[in-house]
Amino acid sequence: MVAALISVPATALGQQATLLDTDDFDRWERLGSSVLAPMGDWVAYEVTRNDESRELRIWGQSQDSTIVIPWASDPAFSPDGRWLAWVAGHSTEEEDAAQDSDTPLREGVGLLDLRSPGSPARFEDVTDFSFDPTGGWLALLAHRNGSDSEAGAGLRIVKLDGGSVTSFGSVGEMSWSHRGPLLAMVIASGSDEGNGLQVYDAGSGRLHALDHSGSRYTGLSWRRDAADLAVLRSEEAASEDGEAYAVLAWRDAISGGGPSLLQPRPTGSGDTLQVVEHHTPAWSPTGTMVSVGLRPVPQDPEGDSADAEGGPQAGAAPAGDPPDGAASEPDSEESPETADVQIWHSGDVEVYAQQKAAEDRRAARTLTAVWHLQDDRVVMVSSGLDTSVEILHGWDRALEETDRPYPWGAMFGRPYHDVWAVDLHTGARARVQERVRYAWASDGGRWLLSFDGEDYLTVDLESGARVNLTEAVPAVFADTAYDTPTDLLPPFSFGPGGWLEGDAAVYLYDEHDVWRVAPDGSGAERMTEGAEAGVTHRVAFLPDLDDEPGLNPEAPLYLTLYDERSEERGFGRLDGDGELYRLRFENAFLSNLARADSAAVFVYRRMAHDDPQDLFLAGPDLDRPMQVTDINPFMTEYAWSRAELVNFQSESGRDLQAVLQYPVGYEPGTRVPMIVYTYEMLSPQIHVFENPSERDYYNFTSWTQHGYAVLLPDIVYRWREPGPSAVESVRAAVAKVVAMGVADPDRVGLIGHSWGGYQATYLPTRTDIFAASVAGAPLTDFVSFMGALHWNPGLPELSHWETGQARMEVPFWEDPEAHRRSSPIHGVQDLETPLLMAFGNEDGVVDWDQGTEFYNFARRAGKQMVLLVYEGEDHGFRDKANQIDYHRRILEWFGHYLRDEPAPDWITSGVSIEDLDRERSRVAGKKPN
């Protein structure tokens, strides 16, 4: 069995509180997602438990108790706030039984009338649900028949006041209009007969058949605040695999008029382009334009081909690619057998593995175009499939970003792009920014804002005028403390904080404050007073109550507040007259400020190290908040650790902080064993509440319950020196806690995962202050890992290596000694700390060869090391048994080396393959077979 919990005197724990036992872990709760009713009088929130049970809780201001719905999730209020619907799920027992019997288990929908809450209604077999914009009807779409995925499913429309139900069959897609209870439905019969598009007017009960054919229909799109509707219709029969679609667009879909029609080969594109399904049509606000997605028309294998990346300006359309493992059909009767070969070229901007991992996304890329309905004219926006397009507010122009001129930067972590403005009426194109790293369009669509490493600049997209906004502003808008190398110095700004309505001004951030800056450079004003107190102010993005893009200058502007040194957090408000108020500011983690849609009611979340996250409801001043939730109400039954910030100075002279969590029942003046967990900046975690869990294998709560102090030190880095930088920070932090009389210097352990696992492998090869170390999925060789791939996304490591987290700035051949200094494997011969390392053998982030390589070297050097390999696991372990096994082995490892507990055989002498099942059963708590 795992090591026993420590014995703590009852006087230290209090008369009632006790230590946690693993048998207690299952009851612990966690607050999930939540929604606030339009008037703010109801809150629905999800709660999950360690035992995998879950429930929906519904709190109302006028209710005496909270309504609890087991196994429910994804709540949604009706627009009028009277009704609440949710996904009605199944218990884990029901899910397991269905899996064992190979029986489909389908979710339903629950519905509650909040005006007179009683027993909720339940509708079975629902895969999607939505309220109409009036709140009078609820649409329920059933699951499709698994044996016929092309056929639609049953649709029920429930009239909420009265409960009558109208049913339709073979519905493939549905979408409510924004203007009223008009539901568009795609009819998918599963054959080439009976398909079509219909609109049901729930208010009058009338059904409007807009189109019918043997084609496929998809991509329903209503124009906001209108009855205009667009849809895609396949050019070929529904049973065919053709890619070409036509666009049908109705101005007032229920008036009886016919649609405008865009044929599969848009006007002006010849035979080279066709409409495809991967881009849902979108309406301009006036209803005169619809955006569509195009792709080159596939050609016969023997035909000419063009560069698909180049788009319509590159010439002829590309030839169709044969499927993987297949070749084009030659003239002869038999096709030659083809090789399963991949071709990797050093000039590839995206390497083969990256292209393969993104194959579906690449196949769905489209060229954006705008269809003018009045004169049936198409204007191309995209210049290639590899660019990104944003249609700006007002639909007069769009912006296209392309990194095509800068392939080297895209390949190796120095990304730049050009920005082109495209006139949506004429198609005229003009490059408005060249070789820019960061650029943002204004909310109103007139300005392009960019950052050059020091200043913000704007381009007036109407006149072309260019202005440096911040060169004369007495503030620094660059994040000069950012410690990751790149060619742009400093690499990042603190970011823009949003635009005022009409693009009247933009909010920009310096280190602590919010500035309101005119986009034409005519003026700038500091709106907050954060620098004086060292408190960072940022805009809290709450939904506007009007539909205008940008922030209303007359409305109060809510802000988040954060003191980096004290870790206090809260909220403030900047009123329309410029008056600034600090509303709440606490020694806790306050977050997720939200506002009701139709009332001045606010909700936010609060948690602390010893206080689970809860929801609080308040008025505009956030005073006298009402606690809505009570997560883990039984917590007072158990003893808990306390946490504090520790200030220390690194060995290189940097002022840093660490979080020190004391063991449960700690008696001042006593020295205790300590576990140091490393990554980067961890002091902001001081207010994070952590449920006890064996599935969370790095569980600080569990460690403090076992009598360990836990230290989370901040680490800052110098370029090309990630290893020495970690030593300078961590060793100084440990020394500070030892000097405080808390940590026993002979019983300090080290642990980390991924980048933290690197530190947990590197530090023991350069210092002897640790009695034991645990490294999860670490990178160990600074040469081989630089050339590795993140296999999950197929990304080469080089960008992450030089200008990312590794901070090496240059490849190894330009500074081989720096790579040796920071490489764990180049110090393996000096390792004197027992090292436990864990990998999944399907790790797609850090190749597990990094583990076997270090293991082989440590074995040759005669060092004490154990490598745990969890079969089938990726970078983070997902299997419950594996999570628990690793958690318990960590406790056994530290229990032996930090607490002198007897060591099991797997630590001292290893386990043979014949005894492996017995060892697995021992740790799982089962009797051996």
Side-chain angles (χ1 to χ4, degrees):
M1 296 295 292
V2 297
L5 299 178
I6 63 169
S7 175
V8 178
T11 54
L13 298 179
Q15 294 183 348
Q16 301 297 326
T18 61
L19 281 170
L20 279 165
D21 187 271
T22 54
D23 292 340
D24 303 320
F25 285 6
D26 280 354
R27 69 190 297 203
W28 288 80
E29 302 171 341
R30 181 175 288 104
L31 178 65
S33 63
S34 60
V35 289
L36 182 61
M39 295 303 298
D41 51 344
W42 291 88
V43 180
Y45 59 96
E46 298 177 32
V47 173
T48 59
R49 295 188 184 85
N50 284 354
D51 65 1
E52 300 181 356
S53 64
R54 63 185 186 276
E55 61 193 30
L56 180 67
R57 298 180 186 173
I58 307 166
W59 177 93
Q61 287 193 22
S62 60
Q63 296 298 113
D64 295 331
S65 59
T66 298
I67 302 168
V68 178
I69 312 293
W71 307 107
S73 61
D74 301 310
F77 287 99
S78 61
D80 61 359
R82 175 179 169 181
W83 302 88
L84 178 70
W86 58 85
V87 173
H90 302 275
S91 68
T92 53
E93 293 78 11
E94 291 172 322
E95 291 173 350
D96 291 343
Q99 186 174 0
D100 292 342
S101 63
D102 198 23
T103 302
L105 192 62
R106 295 177 170 178
E107 295 173 327
V109 161
L111 179 67
L112 186 65
D113 185 349
L114 301 175
R115 187 178 60 183
S116 54
S119 298
R122 178 171 176 130
F123 301 89
E124 300 296 342
D125 187 17
V126 180
T127 188
D128 188 21
F129 72 91
S130 60
F131 290 101
D132 85 293
T134 71
W137 286 266
L138 176 66
L140 306 169
L141 184 61
H143 295 80
R144 295 193 182 202
N145 188 330
S147 62
D148 187 0
S149 60
E150 297 300 321
L155 174 68
R156 288 163 285 177
I157 302 175
V158 181
K159 183 174 174 31
L160 295 174
D161 194 359
S164 62
V165 177
T166 303
S167 298
F168 298 91
S170 301
V171 176
E173 296 179 24
M174 66 175 186
S175 177
W176 288 106
S177 165
H178 301 282
R179 195 173 73 169
L182 302 176
L183 186 70
M185 300 178 290
V186 164
I187 305 303
S189 67
S191 69
D192 292 344
E193 300 293 335
N195 300 315
L197 176 66
Q198 300 177 353
V199 172
Y200 176 65
D201 185 342
S204 66
R206 293 181 60 191
L207 182 66
H208 303 267
L210 301 187
D211 197 64
H212 67 275
S213 70
S215 301
R216 294 186 305 275
Y217 294 79
T218 188
L220 293 172
S221 178
W222 289 97
R223 180 162 73 95
R224 186 169 183 83
D225 298 325
D228 299 351
L229 178 65
V231 71
L232 299 177
R233 183 183 69 192
S234 66
E235 181 69 4
E236 297 184 3
S239 59
E240 301 295 329
D241 295 327
E243 298 178 357
Y245 280 78
V247 186
L248 285 72
W250 284 264
R251 297 299 303 271
D252 193 351
I254 60 173
S255 66
S260 299
L261 178 66
L262 179 64
Q263 296 292 348
R265 289 165 179 76
T267 304
S269 67
D271 292 332
T272 63
L273 297 174
Q274 62 187 12
V275 178
V276 292
E277 65 177 317
H278 307 298
H279 178 123
T280 299
W283 287 89
S284 68
T286 60
T288 59
M289 292 179 275
V290 174
S291 69
V292 297
L294 312 178
R295 281 186 69 89
V297 177
Q299 300 293 307
D300 292 334
E302 296 179 358
D304 295 333
S305 64
D307 178 7
E309 301 297 328
Q313 298 177 353
D321 293 328
D324 290 348
S328 302
E329 288 289 337
D331 293 335
S332 61
E333 294 183 2
E334 285 190 26
S335 299
E337 185 176 352
T338 59
D340 291 328
V341 62
Q342 302 172 6
I343 299 176
W344 298 49
H345 193 280
S346 60
D348 292 338
V349 176
E350 290 187 353
V351 301
Y352 178 88
Q354 189 175 357
Q355 296 178 50
K356 187 67 176 176
E359 201 166 16
D360 290 342
R361 177 183 58 81
R362 290 170 64 88
R365 296 180 302 180
T366 62
L367 302 165
T368 300
V370 170
W371 174 31
H372 291 256
L373 274 66
Q374 292 177 334
D375 52 3
D376 194 23
R377 182 170 52 91
V378 172
V379 172
M380 290 301 306
V381 181
S382 300
S383 63
L385 289 170
D386 57 348
T387 69
S388 62
V389 166
E390 178 185 4
I391 295 178
L392 303 184
H393 177 72
W395 281 60
D396 288 323
R397 64 182 63 87
L399 293 179
E400 181 187 38
E401 295 184 357
T402 176
D403 62 0
R404 203 182 302 142
Y406 314 104
W408 192 89
M411 294 162 69
F412 304 118
R414 287 87 169 172
Y416 287 95
H417 58 271
D418 293 346
V419 183
W420 292 74
V422 183
D423 188 311
L424 297 185
H425 301 281
T426 67
R429 301 170 56 81
R431 184 163 54 190
V432 293
Q433 278 288 13
E434 187 174 5
R435 199 177 183 273
V436 66
R437 181 70 63 86
Y438 310 106
W440 308 266
S442 65
D443 289 348
R446 177 173 174 178
W447 302 89
L448 179 67
L449 176 72
S450 62
F451 179 73
D452 67 1
E454 183 176 357
D455 286 309
Y456 284 99
L457 305 96
T458 55
V459 178
D460 186 336
L461 297 175
E462 292 182 0
S463 68
R466 297 173 182 270
V467 176
N468 187 319
L469 289 188
T470 55
E471 61 180 347
V473 178
V476 176
F477 295 96
D479 184 359
T480 58
Y482 187 77
D483 66 355
T484 301
T486 182
D487 58 318
L488 183 64
L489 303 175
F492 292 122
S493 68
F494 292 102
W499 291 77
L500 292 183
E501 288 181 1
D503 288 349
V506 60
Y507 289 118
L508 300 177
Y509 300 144
D510 68 11
E511 183 178 4
H512 293 110
D513 286 303
V514 180
W515 291 74
R516 186 166 64 193
V517 183
D520 61 0
S522 60
E525 179 184 6
R526 187 170 72 131
M527 308 302 295
T528 59
E529 301 173 351
E532 290 79 357
V535 176
T536 299
H537 294 62
R538 297 293 183 254
V539 175
F541 289 98
L542 303 179
D544 282 333
L545 301 182
D546 57 41
D547 293 329
E548 290 298 315
L551 300 164
N552 185 345
E554 305 300 324
L557 183 68
Y558 283 83
L559 306 167
T560 63
L561 310 178
Y562 172 49
D563 188 322
E564 187 179 38
R565 297 301 295 178
S566 70
E567 290 298 329
E568 294 172 287
R569 295 178 185 263
F571 306 109
R573 188 182 67 221
L574 186 64
D575 282 351
D577 58 4
E579 192 72 23
L580 178 64
Y581 298 93
R582 181 179 290 187
L583 304 179
R584 302 208 67 79
F585 199 54
E586 302 181 28
N587 190 28
F589 197 105
L590 275 63
S591 64
N592 297 83
L593 183 67
R595 180 177 57 206
D597 289 342
S598 305
V601 179
F602 294 76
V603 67
Y604 65 88
R605 295 184 177 216
R606 182 192 187 279
M607 72 172 169
H609 169 74
D610 57 356
D611 187 10
Q613 189 175 67
D614 279 303
L615 291 170
F616 290 81
L617 208 65
D621 295 332
L622 304 187
D623 56 342
R624 299 186 297 277
M626 180 184 304
Q627 184 169 340
V628 172
T629 65
D630 188 14
I631 303 300
N632 298 323
F634 49 80
M635 185 176 162
T636 54
E637 301 172 16
Y638 300 98
W640 210 257
S641 67
R642 65 180 178 89
E644 70 178 21
L645 283 174
V646 174
N647 297 314
F648 71 97
Q649 190 175 76
S650 74
E651 294 173 354
S652 61
R654 290 287 299 270
D655 290 329
L656 298 174
Q657 292 183 306
V659 177
L660 177 60
Q661 298 184 5
Y662 287 88
V664 173
Y666 176 75
E667 296 182 359
T670 60
R671 292 191 180 274
V672 295
M674 182 171 72
I675 298 174
V676 182
Y677 182 87
T678 57
Y679 197 75
E680 293 197 14
M681 300 296 289
L682 296 178
S683 57
Q685 293 196 25
I686 186 169
H687 297 309
V688 173
F689 179 86
E690 187 174 52
N691 272 3
S693 172
E694 288 199 291
R695 298 192 64 174
D696 175 12
Y697 29 85
Y698 307 121
N699 189 264
F700 306 154
T701 295
S702 176
W703 297 345
T704 59
Q705 291 282 331
H706 278 79
Y708 297 102
V710 177
L711 184 68
L712 313 176
D714 287 344
I715 301 174
V716 292
Y717 294 91
R718 299 190 313 279
W719 301 356
R720 305 193 196 185
E721 302 287 353
S725 299
V727 171
E728 294 164 358
S729 297
V730 175
R731 192 160 55 191
V734 171
K736 177 62 181 284
V737 181
V738 169
M740 290 168 59
V742 176
D744 183 339
D746 297 324
R747 299 175 184 273
V748 178
L750 177 65
I751 192 168
H753 192 89
S754 193
W755 185 243
Y758 155 68
Q759 296 154 2
T761 309
Y762 176 82
L763 267 68
T765 67
R766 272 44 175 207
T767 180
D768 61 359
I769 67 171
F770 299 105
S773 185
V774 178
L779 46 150
T780 65
D781 187 333
F782 263 42
V783 174
S784 65
F785 194 74
M786 174 191 162
L789 288 173
H790 286 199
W791 283 105
N792 290 341
L795 289 172
E797 176 63 29
L798 291 163
S799 297
H800 181 249
W801 196 253
E802 296 179 26
T803 62
Q805 192 171 47
R807 299 171 170 88
M808 290 308 293
E809 189 183 15
V810 295
F812 76 87
W813 55 84
E814 292 188 24
D815 196 345
E817 185 53 39
H819 282 73
R820 289 180 60 88
R821 282 196 304 271
S822 285
S823 183
I825 216 158
H826 286 103
V828 66
Q829 69 279 3
D830 299 321
L831 176 67
E832 299 301 331
T833 303
L835 176 63
L836 173 64
M837 187 179 291
F839 263 101
N841 69 349
E842 294 183 8
D843 194 321
V845 177
V846 178
D847 196 312
W848 78 293
D849 282 345
Q850 291 286 302
T852 58
E853 186 178 343
F854 193 91
Y855 165 78
N856 279 325
F857 284 13
R859 187 166 172 263
R860 177 64 178 85
K863 304 303 180 180
Q864 167 64 351
M865 178 183 170
V866 175
L867 176 63
L868 304 176
V869 179
Y870 290 91
E871 296 180 8
E873 292 287 6
D874 202 330
H875 195 56
F877 306 158
R878 295 183 178 274
D879 181 80
K880 180 179 179 180
N882 291 341
Q883 293 168 336
I884 294 174
D885 182 275
Y886 184 34
H887 172 83
R888 292 180 177 181
R889 291 188 191 278
I890 290 170
L891 290 176
E892 290 189 341
W893 186 263
F894 284 141
H896 174 62
Y897 288 109
L898 304 188
R899 302 185 58 83
D900 297 327
E901 295 171 357
D905 290 345
W906 72 270
I907 293 178
T908 57
S909 57
V911 179
S912 68
I913 194 169
E914 292 84 2
D915 294 331
L916 190 54
D917 285 342
R918 181 181 297 271
E919 168 61 19
R920 291 167 173 167
S921 297
R922 181 193 68 82
V923 174
K926 300 176 182 178
K927 294 182 179 180
N929 294 328

